[in-house]
Amino acid sequence: MQSQPVTNLPADHAVAMPAYVDRAHLVVQDLRMVSAWYQNVLGLASIEASASGETLGVDGKPLLTLTTDAQATRAPRSAPGLFHTAFLVPDRHKLGRWLAHVADNGVRLQGASDHLVSEAIYLADPEGNGIEVYRDRPRSEWRYEADGTVAMNTLPLDLQSLYDEAPKEAWSGLAAGTVIGHIHLQVSDIPQADAFFRDVLGLDLMARYPGASFFATGKYHHHVAANIWHSRGAAKREAKMTGLSDYTIRFRHSDRLATAIRKLDELQIPVREEGGIHRLTDPWGIGLNLAASAA
């Protein structure tokens, strides 16, 4: 299924950048139950379904594919893979409306943070896959350091205020314009992550936390994050595990994609091309697809 670009985006939007995360693919044990959760709780809509998989999205744009495998075993918490998939909603009112939906339905949240550049709410799906739902603050409110990194923090988010400010219209799913703003991974080594995402794929290092690096293009706060908080020194992810099977990064400029492919080849990381999608496995056993932007 071809990805449809989101139109009428601000020039500084997460997915208007030179490279951005387009979609993610999870392997789950109970496809029917997990898919229903993503539709009823998170607010995605079914776009395409089969006996072994389903593609979900917003306003016709595919964002998340779920597939099931009878032989898949539950990934341990320490395995490299997904920390969370981050769904970016258009504005604070849309974030508040989603919060009101989950609060009114008694959904358990795992946390909520003000990151200076964004406001974020965290939860997990029924099989433990992490999720962030967030909105970006205007870039005029972001502060960049002299070295080009962006100032971020983890401060408490006033959920009551967000809930109180939310429009009270009927819930009809995640707002049109919602996209995957970033993906946060568990890896086994931060210097290795820096070398891969910055030096091979060409993303900029935008921030560091203890045990984590944040990468992006276009001065965005992050399109990909990598941490070792539960996975320091872990062995490569095994096949037939639940959780993140693969995700897609799209490049708006063919030369940047070509440079990344060349560097992967120089490192003898196997890449296979299928219909314009360059498929590989990263140093931690996570599937990664690189493609030119559809826009």
Side-chain angles (χ1 to χ4, degrees):
M1 179 182 297
Q2 291 294 319
S3 178
Q4 299 300 315
V6 178
T7 57
N8 300 319
L9 291 174
D12 60 1
H13 191 277
V15 301
M17 297 297 96
Y20 58 96
V21 175
D22 185 45
R23 56 198 295 184
H25 169 200
L26 303 179
V27 174
V28 300
Q29 292 180 319
D30 190 331
L31 175 64
R32 186 172 180 179
M33 181 265 291
V34 175
S35 175
W37 186 93
Y38 274 98
Q39 293 178 66
N40 298 329
V41 176
L42 191 63
L44 299 178
S46 179
I47 295 176
E48 185 176 64
S50 68
S52 60
E54 189 159 13
T55 296
L56 307 171
V58 173
D59 200 29
K61 176 177 171 54
L63 298 179
L64 181 69
T65 296
L66 304 173
T67 57
T68 190
D69 187 330
Q71 299 178 344
T73 58
R74 186 67 67 92
R77 190 183 189 199
S78 61
L82 184 69
F83 191 67
H84 60 241
T85 306
F87 295 88
L88 172 62
V89 299
D91 55 46
R92 180 177 168 86
H93 279 173
K94 298 298 190 299
L95 181 63
R97 185 64 196 90
W98 178 82
L99 172 64
H101 159 68
V102 294
D104 293 347
N105 285 277
V107 177
R108 183 175 175 233
L109 301 178
Q110 294 181 326
S113 297
D114 179 344
H115 293 304
L116 302 183
V117 294
S118 64
E119 294 179 312
I121 301 171
Y122 300 94
L123 69 165
D125 74 17
E127 295 195 2
N129 296 295
I131 295 163
E132 174 182 339
V133 181
Y134 77 110
R135 73 100 179 182
D136 279 332
R137 282 198 167 93
R139 288 228 194 175
S140 59
E141 298 179 18
W142 300 10
R143 181 172 61 83
Y144 291 94
E145 309 291 358
D147 62 359
T149 59
V150 65
M152 296 172 63
N153 206 332
T154 300
L155 305 172
L157 178 61
D158 185 347
L159 286 176
Q160 188 62 55
S161 173
L162 187 62
Y163 179 93
D164 291 343
E165 293 174 23
K168 299 305 187 280
E169 71 264 13
W171 169 253
S172 58
L174 282 169
T178 297
V179 297
I180 294 180
H182 66 269
I183 196 160
H184 193 146
L185 307 174
Q186 294 192 162
V187 300
S188 54
D189 183 76
I190 291 301
Q192 186 181 36
D194 292 349
F196 184 74
F197 292 108
R198 179 189 59 197
D199 303 336
V200 176
L201 298 188
L203 308 184
D204 297 322
L205 180 63
M206 292 304 300
R208 285 194 189 276
Y209 280 2
S213 290
F214 298 79
F215 309 93
T217 61
K219 305 293 284 183
Y220 190 61
H221 52 76
H222 65 298
H223 289 107
V224 178
N227 78 61
I228 56 169
W229 298 329
H230 304 301
S231 54
R232 181 191 299 267
K236 185 176 290 191
R237 181 180 180 83
E238 297 177 9
K240 301 294 184 181
M241 275 185 177
T242 60
L244 183 64
S245 172
D246 57 83
Y247 65 102
T248 301
I249 295 177
R250 289 193 176 270
F251 293 80
R252 292 193 176 276
H253 306 292
S254 59
D255 56 339
R256 292 187 69 143
L257 174 59
T259 297
I261 298 301
R262 187 187 74 248
K263 290 184 177 181
L264 289 163
D265 184 59
E266 290 171 355
L267 294 174
Q268 299 184 341
I269 296 176
V271 179
R272 67 185 190 282
E273 193 268 338
E274 300 175 0
I277 307 293
H278 302 267
R279 304 185 187 277
L280 63 135
T281 301
D282 74 14
W284 310 281
I286 306 166
L288 173 59
N289 309 312
L290 305 178
S293 173

